[in-house]
Amino acid sequence: MRQKNRGLGLFTFFIYLFLLGPLVIIAFASFEPGSAMKFPPQGFSLKWYQNIFEVSMFKTSFITSILVSLIGNLLALLLGLPAAYALSRFQFRGKEALNAIFISPVLIPGIVLGFTMLKYVIITYNIPVYSALLIGHAVIMLPFIIRVIASSLSNFDFAVEEASLSLGAGRLKTFFTVVLPNIKSGIIAAVLIAFLESFNNVDISVFMTGPGISTFPIQMLLYVENNFDPTIAAISVLLMLFTAVLMFIIERLMGLSYFTKR
């Protein structure tokens, strides 16, 4: 039994090593004082972290990614919140087909979706690049908004809504004063997950960007093509920390949403 447990522990160790090893290498390489990325580093320096804030194209593309993620998130939330409510609350003909349509951006390969949106949104309908980029990111965020909010609504007792309606409150007032407060943690979690998906997206953004408009991940790819210093490793470390913090917040919110409904 002990040998079996040791074998399982060793197997688990190698799995974690396989998954986390490259991240550890990148983290250490980001402190390399030289002009080329090395592992193990030949010293310790924070100059490449400082270099991130000195490269103007990183500043511009970072602001663009933040704005696109926030505005696209708002668009996806305005559509996804009532859609998730309708899919969770009512039974109607075509519900499964409608649900499949809303989830399809996750199922379709990103390159296929990106090329399709380039052909029809930008080329056929001649929509400006920035507006097309917002539409593209709203589309890829919509499934995450719907699924997470629908999951939160699955724990909601709609008898409370019926009680509010029977006491004279209108359906719209009931939705904003009864339903929304009970699923607010799920909404926040959905917004954060969608934000991460949008901010880190490459396959859609590479088709939807144009002259003077570039997202942060695309700019990172362009930088790697012409530079070999550890700046990208330093950016990767900061993005990993940023993602870890957001995922911790999401996990706490989803846990809070689950237990408050019990």
Side-chain angles (χ1 to χ4, degrees), residues 126-230:
N126 200 28
I127 295 177
V129 173
Y130 196 87
S131 299
L133 185 62
L134 286 175
I135 294 173
H137 278 248
V139 168
I140 62 173
M141 284 189 279
L142 185 60
F144 298 93
I145 294 287
I146 291 177
R147 296 307 298 171
V148 176
I149 294 179
S151 176
S152 183
L153 283 167
S154 67
N155 295 321
F156 176 70
D157 186 1
F158 285 102
V160 178
E161 182 187 33
E162 294 293 342
S164 176
L165 293 172
S166 66
L167 292 173
R171 184 167 292 277
L172 191 62
K173 182 178 180 180
T174 297
F175 179 77
F176 282 103
T177 59
V178 176
V179 179
L180 282 188
N182 281 278
I183 62 169
K184 62 181 179 181
S185 56
I187 294 175
I188 296 173
V191 167
L192 293 178
I193 292 174
F195 177 86
L196 285 177
E197 172 64 21
S198 171
F199 187 86
N200 295 317
N201 182 269
V202 173
D203 42 15
I204 298 294
S205 299
V206 74
F207 288 99
M208 308 300 287
T209 51
I213 299 176
S214 179
T215 60
F216 196 61
I218 301 302
Q219 201 61 62
M220 291 173 63
L221 291 176
L222 294 176
Y223 187 86
V224 170
E225 289 181 359
N226 303 302
N227 300 274
F228 304 97
D229 58 59

Side-chain angles (χ1 to χ4, degrees), residues 107-129:
L107 305 177
I108 300 173
I111 293 178
V112 175
L113 183 60
F115 178 77
T116 303
M117 297 195 70
L118 170 66
K119 185 178 186 306
Y120 289 100
V121 176
I122 294 181
I123 298 177
T124 303
Y125 295 103
N126 200 28
I127 295 177
V129 173

Side-chain angles (χ1 to χ4, degrees), residues 15 32 35-36 54 61 80 87 101 113 136 140 155 191 213 219 248:
I15 291 295
E32 165 63 38
S35 58
E54 294 176 352
S61 60
L87 292 171
I101 292 173
L113 183 60
I140 62 173
N155 295 321
V191 167
I213 299 176
Q219 201 61 62
F248 175 77

Side-chain angles (χ1 to χ4, degrees), residues 221-251:
L221 291 176
L222 294 176
Y223 187 86
V224 170
E225 289 181 359
N226 303 302
N227 300 274
F228 304 97
D229 58 59
T231 300
I232 295 299
I235 293 176
S236 300
V237 172
L238 295 180
L239 289 180
M240 283 189 286
L241 292 175
F242 175 68
T243 303
V245 170
L246 280 186
M247 291 307 296
F248 175 77
I249 295 173
I250 292 169
E251 189 274 334

